[in-house]
Amino acid sequence: MSPLRHTLILLALLVGGCAAPIPPICGEEGEPIALIQRGIHTELMLPRTLVEQGLPAIAQRHPAATTIAFGFGKQGVVGVDEPSILAILASPLPGPAVVEITSITAVPDEAVRLHLPEAGRAPLLAFLREAMAADEQEVADGARAGRSFHPAAYLYTLAYNCNTWLADALARAGLPFLVLPGQTGEVLMSQARRVPGACHRPRGPLLALR
């Protein structure tokens, strides 16, 4: 994709983000996957039953979770309550990455729910499995009860950040996401709200364990 086309797509999504249609209220169908934005960071939430199919070791590490969230970021920064000054200053530079995994007791209301096609399950789980250098390894930074970090199989860069990583995962699963370098959380969520079948829950108290 040319730099000009990339820029035009980003501008169109950013400008149209505020005008993106609000997804309808979810019904009672199945166990959807979900996307949520937390500041500049985004996470993908999967039902435990789905994680058990392709990542049983991860499911075993989070026995209390009914939903398991996956995120991507730079080691020493993502999920760390008090990153060092050196880590903050170096955060724009390419460096080792981690996959952040969090136990969730209930999907937050503001998350956008998406229907994952049956044919997309195996590719999505394969993407997550391949993203981790080894799912039995863990990184201590930021880890606490219900949250673990695993070395990623590739580097974090400004072009391939947490939002681009999630767009890549969802595109591999057959959902209509553009994998744009340096994607923002706003652009990713704008795309999510436009996915056919996307829905949300009415606003209520956040029940997620964070």
Side-chain angles (χ1 to χ4, degrees):
M1 182 183 296
S2 71
L4 177 58
R5 187 180 179 193
H6 172 215
T7 301
L8 290 174
I9 291 174
L10 276 176
L11 285 173
L13 286 168
L14 282 170
V15 171
C18 295
I22 298 175
I25 294 175
C26 296
E28 299 300 323
E29 67 288 343
E31 294 181 292
I33 65 174
L35 268 181
I36 191 167
Q37 182 179 3
R38 304 183 187 278
I40 63 172
H41 187 61
T42 52
E43 297 176 0
L44 173 65
M45 299 181 180
L46 302 181
R48 178 186 185 84
T49 52
L50 179 59
V51 177
E52 287 174 336
Q53 292 176 26
L55 296 162
I58 295 300
Q60 290 171 8
R61 276 185 170 80
H62 297 265
T66 56
T67 299
I68 298 176
F70 293 80
F72 173 80
K74 192 169 185 183
Q75 183 176 338
V77 178
V78 64
V80 177
D81 295 329
E82 296 183 5
S84 68
I85 296 298
L86 182 60
I88 293 172
L89 292 175
S91 59
L93 302 175
V98 291
V99 176
E100 177 187 14
I101 302 177
T102 308
S103 297
I104 303 292
T105 56
V107 177
D109 294 335
E110 69 268 30
V112 176
R113 278 96 168 149
L114 303 172
H115 173 68
L116 179 65
E118 184 71 31
R121 293 187 175 195
L124 177 59
L125 292 171
F127 176 91
L128 295 173
R129 201 161 46 241
E130 292 162 6
M132 289 178 275
D135 63 13
E136 68 272 9
Q137 295 181 9
E138 293 188 25
V139 175
D141 290 349
R144 63 188 188 208
R147 183 168 68 178
S148 61
F149 295 84
H150 303 261
Y154 31 76
L155 297 178
Y156 170 91
T157 69
L158 288 181
Y160 199 76
N161 59 22
C162 63
N163 307 303
T164 300
W165 182 80
L166 281 183
D168 195 1
L170 293 164
R172 302 281 185 95
L175 294 170
F177 281 82
L178 293 173
V179 184
L180 302 170
Q183 190 160 186
T184 65
E186 288 76 13
V187 167
L188 181 66
M189 297 306 294
S190 177
Q191 291 193 68
R193 288 190 289 271
R194 289 178 166 84
V195 172
C199 65
H200 77 287
R201 298 287 187 196
R203 278 281 185 174
L206 298 183
L207 300 177
L209 282 181
R210 297 298 297 169

